[in-house]
């Protein structure tokens, strides 16, 4: 191989006497020469090619620049300054191949481009073999539905906790995105529950209909945990007198959060459940096992959906446990934190799911 200091005159001669209309052919020959010898070139040789090609790039058309990008995008030692310039091109035909495949574009550059370029550039970045959390965070924040679907199906994409939560929120009304997210190997059970809790009823139904058998089992389990699995307590309750009381309060405009709080503080279980049923539209037969279950989640969902404050929700937790079983302080504090973080829209969707489930004996297919 020629020494690097002898290579520059050779390349300069190859282009210096070529008329402008033949410059594209000269660039193509230089690119051929580089690709053929790339595995053997030293850093000095690469720098020579870099300088010559950078000088020629302003003199060639868009089509030729795109061809350069396609020729060099798979090389790990392509001329670095040329790659950096082409990757920042606003024409996706030029930048796209490099944004999708080049290993020479660093995370800092990708974050910058993801934050400043349009949706076609974001799709290209989303399709890289690996997408790190700092990059995916920007993509989730700025991307449209097509971009988010692209990164959701990319098994090489990694997400920060905040980025994954953002992806889940964006999937709430997008069936295709929700399906893609639900199929990811890194979707943990808590994330699956978050996805199901935030999804609209049509999206939630579609997830179950399209899920593989093993995934359907996980989805049904998560739905039952969100809804609160019915507990066989052996206690038979008569809610008829409580319902009459609540109806009278409702007609007298006396049914409010304060009423629920008073019932709960007095450990009047039937009256509390009847009041919550009237205010939420969820039948007593559905609410009773939810409230009597072992988890706080249904009470947090119900309280947030109805706009209750933590004081009332705390009283409902106490009601569920009974006067002789006060919850441990760490347990209550964890419930309070979860309640504060819970979005009203998420809680309202879950309560809507309970109402929908009342009219469908087995709405979500086979159970595990």
């Amino acid at each position: 191989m020629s020494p690097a200091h002898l290579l520059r005159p050779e390349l300069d001669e190859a282009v210096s006497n070529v008329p402008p209309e033949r410059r594209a052919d000269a660039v193509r020959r230089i690119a051929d020469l580089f690709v053929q010898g790339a595995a053997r070139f030293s850093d000095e040789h690469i720098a020579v090619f870099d300088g010559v090609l950078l000088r020629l790039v302003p003199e060639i058309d868009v089509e030729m620049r795109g061809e350069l990008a396609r020729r060099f995008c798979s090389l790990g030692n392509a001329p670095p300054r040329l790659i950096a310039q082409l990757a920042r091109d606003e024409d996706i035909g030029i930048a796209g191949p490099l944004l999708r495949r080049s290993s020479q574009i660093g995370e800092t550059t990708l974050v910058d481009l993801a934050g400043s370029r349009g949706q076609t550039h974001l799709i290209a970045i989303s399709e890289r073999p690996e997408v790190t959390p700092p990059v995916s965070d920007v993509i989730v924040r700025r991307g449209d539905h097509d971009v988010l679907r692209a990164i959701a199906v990319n098994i090489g994409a990694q997400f920060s906790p905040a980025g994954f939560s953002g992806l889940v929120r964006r999937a709430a009304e997008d069936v295709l995105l929700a399906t893609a997210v639900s199929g990811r190997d890194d979707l943990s059970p808590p994330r699956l529950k978050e996805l199901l809790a935030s999804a609209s009823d049509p999206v939630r139904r579609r997830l179950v209909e399209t899920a593989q058998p093993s995934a359907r089992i996980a989805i049904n389990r998560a739905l039952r945990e969100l809804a609160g699995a019915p507990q066989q307590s052996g206690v038979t309750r008569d809610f008829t007198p409580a319902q009459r009381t609540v109806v009278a309060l409702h007609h007298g405009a006396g049914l409010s959060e304060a009423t629920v709080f008073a019932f709960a503080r007095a450990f009047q279980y039937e009256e509390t459940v009847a009041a919550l049923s009237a205010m939420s539209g969820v039948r007593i037969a559905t609410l009773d096992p939810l409230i009597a279950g072992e988890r706080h989640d249904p009470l947090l969902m119900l309280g947030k959906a109805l706009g209750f404050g933590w004081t009332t929700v705390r009283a409902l937790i106490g009601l569920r446990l009974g006067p002789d079983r006060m919850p441990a302080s760490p347990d209550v504090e964890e419930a309070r934190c979860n309640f504060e973080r819970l979005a009203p829209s998420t809680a309202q969707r879950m309560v809507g799911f309970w109402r929908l489930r009342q009219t469908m004996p087995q709405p979500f297919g086979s159970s595990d």
Side-chain angles (χ1 to χ4, degrees):
M1 183 186 301
S2 301
H5 71 277
L6 297 179
L7 183 60
R8 180 179 292 277
E10 183 179 336
L11 293 178
D12 286 344
E13 179 66 22
V15 298
S16 59
N17 296 321
V18 177
E21 65 271 15
R22 300 289 302 277
R23 287 291 170 88
D25 292 334
V27 169
R28 187 174 288 109
R29 289 197 298 272
I30 294 174
D32 289 340
L33 180 62
F34 184 89
V35 171
Q36 292 167 7
R40 303 185 304 276
F41 286 148
S42 67
D43 290 344
E44 290 180 290
H45 288 101
I46 294 171
V48 171
F49 277 95
D50 209 1
V52 172
L53 288 172
L54 274 175
R55 194 181 75 192
L56 290 173
V57 163
E59 302 177 22
I60 58 177
D61 59 19
V62 170
E63 182 178 350
M64 188 63 228
R65 294 203 299 276
E67 182 178 332
L68 272 181
R70 292 189 295 273
R71 296 289 301 277
F72 289 163
C73 68
S74 299
L75 298 177
N77 65 338
R81 291 186 296 160
L82 175 68
I83 294 301
Q85 179 172 316
L86 295 178
R88 290 184 173 276
D89 201 292
E90 294 186 0
D91 191 311
I92 190 60
I94 298 170
L98 297 167
L99 294 179
R100 285 185 176 89
R101 301 183 61 183
S102 177
S103 61
Q104 293 180 262
I105 305 176
E107 182 181 271
T108 300
T109 299
L110 290 171
V111 169
D112 178 49
L113 292 175
S116 60
R117 291 293 188 262
Q119 300 301 313
T120 54
H121 286 66
L122 288 177
I123 286 182
I125 297 172
S126 298
E127 295 174 346
R128 292 179 64 81
E130 295 182 3
V131 183
T132 59
V135 180
S136 64
D137 280 354
V138 181
I139 290 173
V140 170
R141 187 175 70 249
R142 295 193 65 237
D144 62 15
H145 288 308
D146 291 333
V147 171
L148 295 185
R149 292 166 186 168
I151 199 167
V153 299
N154 184 352
I155 61 175
Q158 302 172 11
F159 300 91
S160 69
F164 215 133
S165 291
L167 193 65
V168 167
R169 286 195 299 272
R170 297 287 299 275
E173 301 289 346
D174 186 332
V175 171
L176 294 179
L177 178 57
T179 302
V181 172
S182 70
R184 291 189 59 86
D185 291 339
D186 54 352
L187 182 69
S188 64
R191 293 292 183 202
L192 176 58
K193 287 173 65 176
E194 184 180 352
L195 174 62
L196 292 169
S198 63
S200 64
D201 290 331
V203 170
R204 193 184 295 116
R205 185 187 301 277
R206 184 62 175 166
L207 282 179
V208 179
E209 290 174 349
T210 60
Q212 296 298 317
S214 59
R216 186 173 299 177
I217 290 173
I219 290 173
N220 279 324
R221 181 185 299 116
L223 285 171
R224 287 198 300 273
E225 290 178 359
L226 281 170
Q231 304 295 315
Q232 300 300 324
S233 63
V235 176
T236 302
R237 299 181 182 274
D238 182 6
F239 288 92
T240 304
Q243 286 179 289
R244 286 197 291 264
T245 299
V246 168
V247 168
L249 287 170
H250 178 67
H251 287 289
L255 189 58
S256 66
E257 178 182 354
T259 308
V260 173
F261 176 74
F263 285 151
R265 284 292 301 271
F267 295 98
Q268 293 176 266
Y269 183 87
E270 289 82 358
E271 286 78 5
T272 304
V273 174
L276 291 172
S277 174
M279 297 175 75
S280 66
V282 181
R283 293 176 183 170
I284 289 176
T286 300
L287 278 184
D288 181 23
L290 295 178
I291 295 174
E294 292 297 323
R295 300 179 60 85
H296 298 326
D297 293 357
L299 291 173
L300 305 185
M301 292 282 184
L302 193 59
K304 182 67 73 168
L306 293 174
F308 290 174
W310 168 245
T311 301
T312 302
V313 174
R314 171 67 178 79
L316 291 174
I317 292 174
L319 168 73
R320 181 177 65 80
L321 296 175
D324 300 322
R325 288 183 57 201
M326 296 306 294
S329 295
D331 188 40
V332 172
E333 179 59 21
E334 181 182 1
R336 185 191 65 79
C337 291
N338 290 339
F339 179 74
E340 295 297 335
R341 288 196 297 263
L342 181 61
S345 58
T346 298
Q348 288 159 5
R349 289 186 192 281
M350 198 65 240
V351 173
F353 163 63
W354 295 340
R355 288 194 292 263
L356 176 66
R357 191 178 64 172
Q358 295 169 164
T359 63
M360 305 179 65
Q362 290 185 332
F364 295 114
S366 60
S367 60
D368 58 338

